[in-house]
Structures are given as C-alpha cells and as structure tokens.
C-alpha cells in the first residue's frame, strides 16, 4: 500500500519536471519552416529572433533563421523593410525572398548562402560581407527594383539551374 502512495505522490513532481523540460527545450520546428520579417524585436538585426514571424527561439537558434538542428528556413523579407545580416559565421537558408523596396545589408565578415530558390526584388548590399545563391534551383529578379551592390571586398555570387526576370 505504501508503494502505491509513494508512486502517486511522485506523479505531480514528475509532471512538473516534464513540463519544465518542455518549456526550456521546445520541440524544434520541422523540415522547412517559413518565416517572415516583421521587425517586432525593434532592431534591424537578422539575429534577433523576435524580428521574425513566427518568433525564432533564441535558445535553440541564437542567430535567427539559419539552417541547422534539423530545421531549414524559407525566409521572406517584405517590402519596405531593411534587414542587417549580422551573423558572424557561414550561414545558410533554404529559400530567400526579398520583396520590392526592401534591403538586405550583408555586413562585413558575414556570409549568407541560399541553397534553393532566391527571389530578389529589392536591394542586396554586400558591404564587406558575402551573399551566395549557389547551386540554387532558380534565381529570379522581380519587377524593376531588383539591385545588387558589392563594395568593400563584398561578394555577390549567383549560380542557378535557371534565371528569370519580370517587370
């Protein structure tokens, strides 16, 4: 009888421990996650997980939406936003869409690589940083506002199985 009482009394503590583990280590997202920049985090920095919708968990992904830990990101930056890519390690995303009148500043000492489709309708400025769309499925330039700028030893390299331009 005491064993049952002992087991039952331990259930609440096991439940609390289980909930604490889930709260600290949420289940990572699956294969391809779509994220959209919303700047709710109050900075222009890519690495601020609160700037993305849905928010990026800073414990699991301290650099914002960067492929890793079994997660591949499809990134969209809407029109009229400026984003500073500030991640100091070689980083990849699966797809990348930069809408019209949006700007991606690839800061010095950073490298962003797109492994699949890249749609560029705004400005990519590689100021001492590097932007790659290598072995991508498609690189598209939308509208008449797509621009690329590489200065201060910055690099923009595009290599795809297909290119397209509209507008």
């Amino acid at each position: 009888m005491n064993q049952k009482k002992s087991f039952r009394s331990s259930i609440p503590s096991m439940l609390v421990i289980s909930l604490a583990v889930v709260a600290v280590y949420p289940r990572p997202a699956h294969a391809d996650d779509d994220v959209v920049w919303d700047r709710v985090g109050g900075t222009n920095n890519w690495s601020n997980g609160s700037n993305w919708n849905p928010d990026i968990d800073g414990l699991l992904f301290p650099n914002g939406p960067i492929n890793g830990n079994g997660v591949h990101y499809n990134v969209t930056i809407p029109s009229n936003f400026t984003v500073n890519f500030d991640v100091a390690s070689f980083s990849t995303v699966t797809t990348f869409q930069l809408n019209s009148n949006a700007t991606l500043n690839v800061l010095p000492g950073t490298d962003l690589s797109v492994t699949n489709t890249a749609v560029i309708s705004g400005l990519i400025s590689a100021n001492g940083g590097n932007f790659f769309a290598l072995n991508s499925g498609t690189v598209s330039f939308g509208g008449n506002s797509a621009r690329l700028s590489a200065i201060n030893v910055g690099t923009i390299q595009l290599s795809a199985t297909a290119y397209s331009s509209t507008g």
Side-chain angles (χ1 to χ4, degrees), residues 20-160:
V21 170
V22 169
V24 173
Y25 296 101
R27 187 174 60 86
H30 294 306
D32 286 340
D33 274 9
D34 298 330
V35 293
V36 178
W37 179 265
D38 62 11
R39 198 179 179 273
V40 171
T43 71
N44 288 342
N45 294 337
W46 178 291
S47 63
N48 184 338
S50 297
N51 283 329
W52 299 95
N53 183 15
D55 286 355
I56 306 295
D57 184 330
L59 291 175
L60 293 175
F61 301 96
N63 296 317
I66 299 297
N67 289 357
N69 295 334
V71 180
H72 300 148
Y73 283 103
N74 301 315
V75 172
T76 299
I77 300 173
S79 298
N80 303 315
F81 281 107
T82 296
V83 178
N84 297 324
F85 186 76
D86 62 336
V87 180
S89 60
F90 186 82
S91 305
T92 62
V93 296
T94 302
T95 65
F96 177 77
Q97 181 172 332
L98 182 68
N99 289 339
S100 63
N101 298 316
T103 300
L104 175 68
N105 294 314
V106 186
L107 300 179
T110 64
D111 300 287
L112 177 60
S113 181
V114 179
T115 61
N116 204 327
T117 301
V119 178
I120 302 165
S121 300
L123 168 64
I124 295 179
S125 176
N127 184 354
N130 303 299
F131 179 86
F132 306 103
L134 303 176
N135 301 315
S136 295
T138 303
V139 174
S140 301
F141 300 97
N144 57 7
S145 61
R147 298 172 314 217
L148 305 173
S149 171
I151 58 174
N152 296 328
V153 195
T155 302
I156 297 174
Q157 188 174 0
L158 308 174
S159 172

